[in-house]
Amino acid sequence: MGDTVGAVLVPVLTAGSVVAAAIATPLVSGIVQARSGDRLRASVAANLELVDKLRSREQEWQQEIDSVNDLLRRQVAQIRDRDQAELDRRREWSALFVVAFLYLLGVPLLVLFYRLDQWWAWTLYWALLIFLIAMTIAGIDRAVHPPAPTDEEDQSGVTPAPA
């Protein structure tokens, strides 16, 4: 009984941990980037308030006002660039469907190869596992960072037919 549980549990946990790590990495980086964007916006607000306070003082603060104004221009440009990139970002979910299809076919084969416990089954097991890991990484990368659309796709909104 313990052997059968281990025979099924090991491949499932292996595949599950690979998928979890591949999905968690973009999510965590997105959260970190959102926090830095919030900090940047808060810094812009604080700097605008600082410039207003310095302007109400005498002319002796003009150099500092100019310095903070230059900083504000750079910060606003960075916020604009981030917002523009967010608007232009696309996702290609079909790549994740391909990965799910590969898992639908591959996980039962992994379980079968694991349970056979032969040298050739182990060779196929590791080859298939490495293939599934590589396809998971490639599929998630393709979904999160799809190729840029061509000029024809941008103008027509439709993917051109292959020649």
Side-chain angles (χ1 to χ4, degrees):
M1 177 72 177
D3 251 353
T4 13
V5 172
V8 173
L9 197 57
V10 168
V12 170
L13 288 177
T14 302
S17 64
V18 169
V19 171
I23 290 173
T25 302
L27 290 176
V28 170
S29 67
I31 290 169
V32 169
Q33 187 175 8
R35 287 186 180 166
S36 69
D38 291 342
R39 283 193 309 257
L40 182 61
R41 289 178 194 278
S43 178
V44 166
N47 286 337
L48 284 171
E49 186 178 320
L50 175 64
V51 166
D52 288 341
K53 287 181 182 178
L54 289 176
R55 282 190 181 139
S56 67
R57 300 199 181 252
E58 300 171 11
Q59 286 291 83
E60 64 190 41
W61 292 96
Q62 190 59 44
Q63 183 179 358
E64 287 79 6
I65 291 171
D66 292 340
S67 174
V68 174
N69 276 335
D70 290 340
L71 176 63
L72 276 167
R73 282 189 180 86
R74 290 179 51 214
Q75 288 174 326
V76 169
Q78 188 173 9
I79 290 172
R80 182 195 65 233
D81 292 345
R82 284 185 183 186
D83 289 348
Q84 185 65 43
E86 182 67 28
L87 286 174
D88 293 341
R89 187 175 67 194
R90 302 177 336 148
R91 298 284 186 245
E92 191 171 304
W93 298 112
S94 61
L96 293 181
F97 293 128
V98 170
V99 170
F101 179 73
L102 288 174
Y103 272 95
L104 185 68
L105 297 175
V107 169
L109 287 173
L110 282 176
V111 171
L112 174 68
F113 293 148
Y114 185 83
R115 295 185 77 187
L116 288 175
D117 200 23
Q118 299 289 322
W119 70 268
W120 57 268
W122 282 109
T123 304
L124 291 175
Y125 172 85
W126 285 107
L128 180 58
L129 183 62
I130 291 169
F131 173 76
L132 287 176
I133 290 169
M135 290 299 105
T136 301
I137 293 168
I140 290 174
D141 182 60
R142 175 73 179 230
V144 174
H145 304 102
T150 63
D151 290 338
E152 292 174 6
E153 289 175 356
D154 282 344
Q155 292 171 0
S156 66
V158 204
T159 305

